[in-house]
Amino acid sequence: MSEEFQPVAQPHLWGNERIYLDEALESGWVSSRGPFIERFERAFAESIGVAHAVSVTNCTNALHLALDALGIGPGDEVIVPDFTMMAPVFAVLYQRATPVPIDADETWNMDPDAVAVAITPRTRAILAVHTYGHPARIDRLREIADEHNLWLVEDAAEAHGGAVLGRAVGTFGDIACFSFYANKLITTGEGGMIITNCEELAKRVRWKGNMCFGSDEESRYTHESIGFNYRMTNLQAAIGLAQLENAAAALESKLSIAQAYDAALGEIPGLTLPPRSTWAKNVFWVYGVLIRDEFGRSRVELQQRLSSRKIETRRFFTPLHRQPVIRSNGSLLSFPNADLLCERGLYLPSFPCMSTSVIQRVADEIRRARG
Ligand SMILES: *Cc1c(COP(=O)(O)O)cnc(C)c1O
C-alpha cells in the first residue's frame, strides 16, 4: 500500500485569488500602489474591529516597524516569551534593545505572573506572542502594561481569529502584527499587517515603513527620520483580499480538524493534547501535542516513524534561552516549561480544507508507533 505524502501545512486557494490577481495585473498596478492595497487594509481592519490597518512585506518586518514606531531603542528592555518563534525576538534585536525572556504557562504562552516580576526601570514594552493558536493571557498583560506604563505589542501571527474573553486577539495591544506567510490562516505568499486604534501610531508606521518620504512634492525627498521599505504590493493585496473573504471558512476548518484530532488521539496514553481554556478561543493554527514518557517513544522517534510513513510533522520551537545567537549574560534563570515544550512537542498536519481521512491515518500511525 503506497500512501500519499502528507504535508504538515499547505495553503488553500478559494478561487477569487486568481480573479483579483488578474484584475490587478490588467490595471498595471503591480507595485505598492493600487486599489487592492486600500481595499485589503480596510477589510482587514473591519474584520478584526480596529480603526487602522497598514499592510507590510511580512510579519517580521511588521514587528520591527512596530517597535521602531514606538521608539524602542538601545538600552531598552522588552519582555518576550522564552518559548517563541524567533521573529519577535529578532525585531527587538534589530532595535538594539534587550529581549527579556519569560517562561511559558499552561497555555504554552508567556506567564503573566512571571512578567510582573521581570519588570525593571528599563522595561519599555511587553511583546506578547499567541503561540500555536491559543491566545496568551493578554487581558492580564494589558493590565500589567497599564500599571507600569509600558507598551503592549501583540504578535498575532499564529492566532488570527482568536479571542480572549470574547474580545479579538490583536485589539488588546497598542499595536498588533499579523503574518500572511503560506502556512498562516490567510496568505499573500509573503506579507503582513499592522493594526492599531491609534491614528498617530498608524500614521507613523505608514511613514516609517515607506521610507519616511516628505508629505508633499516639495518635501518628498527630505527625510526627517530613518525609513524602511516594508511595503506590500497591490498583487499581494489582491490575493489577500480573496483570502480574507474566506478567513471564517478557513478558521472553521481548523477548528473541526482540531476537534477530530482530539477525538482520535484522546485515548492514546502518553500524549498531552493542546490546551483549551474557558476564557480563550484557541484557533488551532497548528495541532501540537506533547509526548510524555508513558508514550514509550521519544518525540524524535515518533517523528522519524511518522516520516517513514510519509506523514510530515514539525518539532516545537527552540526557546530563546537556548539560542546561540543570543549571547548568554550568565543569568541563572531557568525555563523548565519552555524546555519541556521544546523537548516533547511536535505538531501534526493541519490546514484549511485538509481531508478528514488524514486525521484517522495519522492517529492510527501514532497508536502503532507506541513503544
Ligand atoms: C510566522 C510568524 C512570524 C513571522 O512572519 P513572517 O510573515 O514569515 O515574517 C512572526 N511571529 C510568529 C509568531 C509567527 O508564527
Side-chain angles (χ1 to χ4, degrees):
M1 188 174 64
S2 81
E3 294 271 26
E4 231 177 293
F5 174 72
Q6 182 55 54
V8 76
Q10 190 169 286
H12 187 79
L13 303 177
W14 303 81
N16 275 351
E17 289 85 356
R18 195 182 298 273
I19 295 168
Y20 294 172
L21 192 52
D22 266 352
E23 193 182 323
L25 287 167
E26 285 291 320
S27 74
W29 293 106
V30 295
S31 209
S32 56
R33 287 179 64 189
F36 280 109
I37 301 270
E38 210 189 310
R39 283 174 70 188
F40 182 39
E41 288 178 346
R42 198 167 312 144
F44 193 86
E46 267 169 31
S47 74
I48 306 288
V50 289
H52 308 282
V54 179
S55 58
V56 290
T57 41
N58 58 56
C59 184
T60 306
N61 289 345
L63 290 159
H64 180 209
L65 195 52
L67 295 182
D68 183 85
L70 293 174
I72 307 294
D76 293 339
E77 290 178 2
V78 178
I79 294 178
V80 297
D82 186 56
F83 179 70
T84 180
M85 196 265 183
M86 279 295 278
V89 177
F90 283 151
V92 175
L93 297 175
Y94 297 157
Q95 290 302 97
R96 303 275 183 269
T98 306
V100 175
I102 301 291
D103 202 6
D105 64 12
E106 68 286 352
T107 73
W108 305 352
N109 290 299
M110 179 195 271
D111 179 357
D113 294 332
V115 169
V117 179
I119 293 168
T120 76
R122 287 173 173 266
T123 310
R124 293 283 313 283
I126 300 170
L127 205 177
V129 185
H130 305 287
T131 294
Y132 296 156
H134 192 300
R137 194 84 227 215
I138 197 73
D139 55 322
R140 297 265 316 277
L141 294 171
R142 177 75 266 176
E143 283 167 14
I144 294 167
D146 287 342
E147 249 167 62
H148 296 269
N149 201 22
L150 307 174
W151 297 111
L152 178 63
V153 181
E154 284 182 79
D155 179 345
E158 299 183 7
H160 185 179
V164 169
L165 302 171
R167 183 170 152 193
V169 157
T171 64
F172 290 83
D174 297 287
I175 200 161
C177 302
F178 291 80
S179 169
F180 306 134
Y181 184 67
N183 67 356
K184 300 293 157 65
L185 185 75
I186 68 169
T187 187
T188 59
E190 296 279 352
M193 194 74 84
I194 298 178
I195 62 169
T196 178
N197 275 316
C198 173
E199 188 178 351
E200 212 170 305
L201 208 45
K203 275 190 183 151
R204 187 164 177 82
V205 160
R206 203 177 283 286
W207 178 61
K208 294 225 70 165
N210 184 26
M211 299 290 287
C212 295
F213 283 120
S215 57
D216 58 32
E217 183 57 24
E218 273 315 295
S219 68
R220 182 167 178 77
Y221 298 113
T222 307
H223 301 267
E224 303 278 350
S225 181
I226 296 174
F228 310 96
N229 175 358
Y230 285 168
R231 302 181 304 253
M232 176 181 274
T233 68
N234 193 50
L235 302 178
Q236 290 168 298
I239 296 171
L241 186 65
Q243 286 271 300
L244 189 61
E245 289 169 354
N246 294 288
L251 182 52
E252 275 312 306
S253 176
K254 285 272 183 165
L255 296 181
S256 57
I257 289 166
Q259 199 96 40
Y261 267 130
D262 274 0
L265 302 175
E267 306 285 286
I268 302 177
L271 290 187
T272 300
L273 303 187
R276 289 179 183 269
S277 310
T278 52
W279 49 269
K281 179 180 183 190
N282 185 347
V283 295
F284 293 96
W285 172 61
V286 298
Y287 190 90
V289 297
L290 304 180
I291 312 302
R292 301 196 308 272
D293 289 339
E294 266 176 278
F295 186 78
R297 300 244 184 265
S298 70
R299 188 257 308 158
V300 177
E301 286 167 339
L302 177 58
Q303 283 198 282
Q304 284 167 352
R305 165 77 180 226
L306 292 173
S307 170
S308 76
R309 302 300 165 124
K310 298 193 190 169
I311 296 169
E312 190 181 33
T313 59
R314 191 76 76 233
R315 62 167 302 166
F316 276 16
F317 300 128
T318 299
L320 188 161
H321 78 274
R322 292 197 193 179
Q323 296 291 351
V325 67
I326 308 279
R327 257 194 308 274
S328 164
N329 57 5
S331 149
L332 296 174
L333 294 175
S334 67
F335 303 86
N337 296 339
D339 283 330
L340 186 137
L341 292 167
C342 169
E343 281 149 25
R344 297 184 178 267
L346 80 154
Y347 59 86
L348 306 173
S350 161
F351 47 85
C353 303
M354 185 179 88
S355 157
T356 48
S357 67
V358 173
I359 294 161
Q360 209 49 57
R361 178 178 154 205
V362 172
D364 289 345
E365 291 296 350
I366 291 177
R367 201 173 291 109
R368 278 192 213 119
R370 279 195 69 207

